[in-house]
Amino acid sequence: MATIRSLLALGNAKLGRAIHHFDLAAVHTCPGRSKVCEAACYATRGRFHTSLVRDRLRWCLAQSKRPDFADRMVREVRGKGALVVRVHVSGDFYDPEYAGKWLSVFRRCPTATFYFYTRSWRVAEVVPVLEQATALDNVRAWYSADVETGLPDPLPERVRVAWLQTDPDEPVAGNLVFRDEPVRGTRPRTALPVVCPNETPAGHRFGVNCGNCGHCWKA
């Protein structure tokens, strides 16, 4: 009997063992990317270059283009009893039609919490769909920014900003900071907002992951 491949994967080293996720290959599915984030993108390195992961991400992209994607995703979220879903460990909302499929999933799975970081707030055609999604009670939305993009303006209500810091001397804004690997071991020159605990020495020492932290997906 053929094995039915799942759209959702469960957990990884950073997410922990309880968070489901759906991913796409980075860069070419990220129309709102900046030069800064493309240069620093973790999803273009390491395990993302393995044939197993690359095959998985190509398959996921093909599934995302199918007209039954939202229906299948809803069945999986419900069938697996997924409580928290991260949309895109890698990749992004690449066009309004695809974003609209996720909007349908969010609406039809009100008992699950969905969270995502996106740079598609910089894509005018996708913005109206994102604004509808971010208004939903079961969605936790983070708009990703850096020194090139600056802060989103206007910023929808309930949306928070995740800032990518690639230089310890650069000004930092937003509600949460992800520090690029070369600067993680450096002392920041100015006070920072909350730094992702998983990216700090203390966080690693105490085994902090997205599941047991909850900063990004809890209300």
Side-chain angles (χ1 to χ4, degrees):
M1 180 179 294
T3 300
I4 299 175
R5 200 170 188 180
S6 296
L7 294 171
L8 290 172
L10 180 60
N12 61 32
K14 183 173 183 179
L15 294 180
R17 298 180 178 180
I19 295 180
H20 290 80
H21 57 102
F22 178 81
D23 315 304
L24 303 171
V27 182
H28 72 272
T29 65
C30 305
R33 68 187 182 276
S34 67
K35 293 179 181 177
V36 171
C37 75
E38 184 171 351
C41 183
Y42 63 82
T44 60
R45 305 190 292 262
R47 69 181 183 85
F48 290 92
H49 272 306
T50 65
S51 59
L52 187 65
V53 172
R54 291 171 67 181
D55 174 71
R56 164 77 184 174
L57 296 179
R58 281 194 296 267
W59 180 83
C60 285
L61 178 61
Q63 305 315 299
S64 76
K65 295 178 181 292
R66 289 177 45 156
D68 62 348
F69 173 78
D71 292 337
R72 292 167 61 206
M73 182 61 74
V74 168
R75 285 197 297 270
E76 281 203 28
V77 171
R78 292 173 177 171
K80 294 176 182 293
L83 298 178
V84 182
V85 178
R86 172 158 173 190
V87 184
H88 307 138
V89 168
S90 62
D92 208 339
F93 301 105
Y94 55 79
D95 66 22
E97 181 180 358
Y98 172 61
K101 292 175 183 177
W102 273 109
L103 177 61
S104 174
V105 174
F106 302 156
R107 286 172 169 165
R108 294 158 64 188
C109 298
T111 60
T113 295
F114 299 87
Y115 75 106
F116 57 80
Y117 312 90
T118 182
R119 289 176 180 268
S120 291
W121 60 268
R122 304 178 71 209
V123 182
E125 296 83 0
V126 180
V127 168
V129 186
L130 290 180
E131 289 180 343
Q132 293 179 71
T134 60
L136 298 175
D137 289 340
N138 63 330
V139 173
R140 310 287 181 261
W142 293 83
Y143 282 7
S144 298
D146 54 50
V147 291
E148 180 183 340
T149 67
L151 290 172
D153 184 22
L155 184 68
E157 187 177 357
R158 300 181 70 250
V159 175
R160 292 175 285 179
V161 176
W163 189 274
L164 171 63
Q165 185 187 36
T166 58
D167 188 307
D169 293 320
E170 74 184 45
V172 171
N175 309 100
L176 175 70
V177 176
F178 291 103
R179 306 189 83 198
D180 189 26
E181 287 190 18
V183 301
R184 286 182 191 174
T186 65
R187 183 180 296 277
R189 304 294 193 267
T190 58
L192 299 177
V194 176
V195 176
C196 174
N198 183 263
E199 298 182 355
T200 67
H204 279 290
R205 186 162 61 250
F206 292 106
V208 176
N209 58 51
C210 298
N212 60 34
C213 172
H215 180 78
C216 292
W217 56 267
K218 290 182 179 178

